[in-house]
Amino acid sequence: MGVGQGSALSPILSALYLSLLFYIIEKRFKNLNLPISTLSFVDDGLFIVQNKSISISNSHLFYSYNILSKLLSSFGLIIEHSKTEIFHFNRSHGPFNPPSLNLSPLGGSILWPKELWRYLGFIFDRKLSFHKHIDYYTNKVMSTVNYMKLLGNSSRGISLVQKRLLYRCCALPIALYGFQLWFYNKAPILYYMKILNKMQRRAATWILGAFKTSPTEGIKAIAGLIPIKFHLQKITKRSLIRPFKLLDNHIIKNLMNDDPPSTKTMNSHNIGSLTKGFIINSTNKSYGIFPSFSPLDPEFSPGSQISDNFSNCFSFNLVNKKEKN
């Protein structure tokens, strides 16, 4: 007995069923001293290995794949070998040709490292530049804007306000999908801004029905589109509260440090001190803004809240929505 395709209950049941499996895997990795980290999203699992030697990394991946296949068979599950992939990240500026990983003794296939890796809609390259990621989604938005031209032009069709709303709601979020990967403190964003500004200029031209030779900043201002950089700063500030709503044992919380930025020290056990990006940047910016509190504190119980203790200081005006005035 199962659930329907796309059911909201499916990932919950999957997490409950696989939680014991990942607990056993991590325990076996620890007993075997294998420096392997695991990540999972429903039925998409990852093995992460960090090592300067490609041969050692491949051997660790081979052992982990062997352990996983045996555990899954004991749980009544199987691995889709055709969907198994391998990807290497490398910072070297010279040529990089990593060897393949042969999983044929374990029932798999020979895995050849790819130039690009796509996971959950994010497109990774070996140097984590995310140029291919932004190129893919901006081209997707430009195609969307071209199709939107069928909905109206400068003389007929939907109004300018509706065009702007359509672009802001249906096109812009596509282009900025995963912006946390490349938009953070001290990140080189010149390439991204160039591509995104080109995309927004085309959208502003369609919204206003302006000529192609019109000044960029002028048509953006008339169309009511703020610059992309300022828009990114706005949605970045709004997303700062997201990590603080996660559970304490969440993997993102492990990358964050609750200490003030000035008291951080570099050590081998502090993962956040060795990581740069949106998560660490959000930790530094949000320190002191979101105070910590206990949800089970007596002050939050009914009868002890501010509105209860100082009820004479509050007044509420109830409005009847049915009345026109």
Side-chain angles (χ1 to χ4, degrees):
M1 181 177 181
V3 296
Q5 179 71 22
S7 173
L9 189 60
S10 178
I12 299 176
L13 295 178
S14 176
L16 292 175
Y17 188 80
L18 296 178
S19 59
L20 179 61
L21 173 68
F22 283 101
Y23 174 78
I24 298 174
I25 289 177
E26 292 180 355
K27 193 173 182 179
R28 291 194 180 183
F29 287 166
K30 186 177 181 180
N31 295 334
L32 296 174
N33 293 325
L34 291 176
I36 299 176
S37 302
T38 59
L39 288 177
S40 176
F41 183 80
V42 191
D43 60 344
D44 291 332
L46 290 178
F47 284 151
I48 304 174
V49 180
Q50 294 180 339
N51 201 291
K52 294 182 179 180
S53 173
I54 298 296
S55 59
I56 295 178
S57 297
N58 283 350
S59 62
H60 288 167
L61 290 173
F62 183 87
Y63 295 145
S64 62
Y65 197 84
N66 185 23
I67 295 173
L68 177 65
S69 59
K70 292 181 179 179
L71 279 177
L72 286 176
S73 61
S74 63
F75 274 71
L77 302 174
I78 59 174
I79 300 178
E80 294 187 61
H81 300 291
S82 59
K83 294 184 178 181
T84 306
E85 298 177 337
I86 185 173
F87 190 81
H88 295 284
F89 296 100
N90 184 38
R91 294 183 178 181
S92 63
H93 298 283
F96 180 67
N97 298 313
S100 60
L101 177 61
N102 187 8
L103 298 178
S104 55
L106 305 178
S109 57
I110 300 177
L111 303 181
W112 296 94
K114 297 183 178 181
E115 295 290 335
L116 297 175
W117 174 49
R118 183 166 181 171
Y119 183 69
L120 302 179
F122 307 120
I123 302 176
F124 299 87
D125 54 22
R126 291 177 177 173
K127 298 185 182 300
L128 293 177
S129 64
F130 298 106
H131 288 180
K132 298 296 183 181
H133 176 88
I134 199 69
D135 289 342
Y136 173 79
Y137 284 102
T138 50
N139 290 334
K140 195 172 184 179
V141 170
M142 288 183 181
S143 300
T144 304
V145 172
N146 288 333
Y147 290 126
M148 286 180 179
K149 294 179 180 179
L150 300 174
L151 301 177
N153 50 34
S154 58
S155 59
R156 59 183 177 84
I158 60 178
S159 63
L160 301 183
V161 177
Q162 293 172 335
K163 290 181 182 179
R164 177 183 177 275
L165 183 63
L166 189 62
Y167 166 73
R168 289 290 303 273
C169 296
C170 300
L172 191 58
I174 297 176
L176 302 183
Y177 175 73
F179 72 95
Q180 296 93 338
L181 296 173
W182 48 267
F183 189 79
Y184 53 88
N185 188 27
K186 296 182 180 180
I189 59 174
L190 182 62
Y191 177 82
Y192 311 121
M193 293 299 103
K194 179 181 178 181
I195 300 297
L196 292 172
N197 285 328
K198 179 181 178 182
M199 173 206 68
Q200 184 146 292
R201 172 186 167 79
R202 183 171 298 184
T205 305
W206 166 68
I207 293 173
L208 298 177
F211 294 106
K212 294 183 179 180
T213 56
S214 302
T216 302
E217 302 301 330
I219 59 176
K220 288 182 181 179
I222 298 174
L225 302 177
I226 64 175
I228 285 290
K229 185 176 182 179
F230 296 148
H231 181 70
L232 284 168
Q233 292 175 357
K234 180 185 69 173
I235 60 178
T236 298
K237 292 180 181 179
R238 291 181 177 179
S239 62
L240 289 180
I241 197 174
R242 168 63 178 168
F244 294 89
K245 299 168 63 177
L246 302 175
L247 298 177
D248 293 335
N249 59 351
H250 198 277
I251 187 173
I252 293 181
K253 279 294 190 70
N254 295 331
L255 297 175
M256 302 177 66
N257 197 332
D258 294 333
D259 298 330
S262 58
T263 62
K264 287 184 179 179
T265 56
M266 292 292 291
N267 57 75
S268 58
H269 301 285
N270 187 4
I271 303 177
S273 62
L274 303 177
T275 310
K276 72 173 184 177
F278 178 82
I279 297 176
I280 305 303
N281 186 33
S282 63
T283 307
N284 297 336
K285 286 186 176 182
S286 58
Y287 174 75
I289 300 177
F290 306 107
S292 60
F293 61 90
S294 174
L296 301 179
D297 193 273
E299 294 184 1
F300 293 97
S301 60
S304 301
Q305 301 179 4
I306 297 179
S307 58
D308 299 325
N309 296 331
F310 304 94
S311 58
N312 58 338
C313 299
F314 294 91
S315 61
F316 300 94
N317 296 323
L318 301 179
V319 179
N320 190 357
K321 296 182 179 180
K322 296 182 179 179
E323 295 181 0
K324 297 183 179 180
N325 296 327

